[in-house]
Amino acid sequence: CNKPKMVLLVGIGKYSSISLEISISPSVFWLWTVVLKTNESKYSHLENLAKIVQCDSMTDSYFVKKSDFVKLKD
């Protein structure tokens, strides 16, 4: 930097970029956490479904055993 004005701008830029990073990092982490939890709740029912549904390797088809069916009144 040849001019004192330029040194001042570079110094301010360094500190502003650090403060910008400090302020943005928690927001990105919070957003990532919200998206992760939303996807977990969206696909949590698939774990229960995987316990019931079975695959026939000979025909590559999926089936549910008759004993796993539950009859409801309505």
Side-chain angles (χ1 to χ4, degrees), residues 31-68:
L31 183 65
W32 175 75
T33 305
V34 168
V35 169
L36 182 68
K37 292 296 180 185
T38 303
N39 284 338
E40 278 183 8
S41 64
K42 188 188 295 186
Y43 298 115
S44 65
H45 67 282
L46 292 178
E47 292 179 10
N48 296 330
L49 190 60
K51 294 175 187 174
I52 297 172
V53 176
Q54 297 178 355
C55 178
D56 184 11
S57 59
M58 300 286 282
T59 60
D60 288 334
S61 61
Y62 297 95
F63 64 94
V64 177
K65 290 183 180 178
K66 191 173 185 178
S67 61
D68 292 330

Side-chain angles (χ1 to χ4, degrees), residues 4-16:
K5 192 177 193 181
M6 191 63 147
V7 172
L8 179 64
L9 291 175
V10 169
I12 291 172
K14 179 176 75 171
Y15 291 115
S16 65

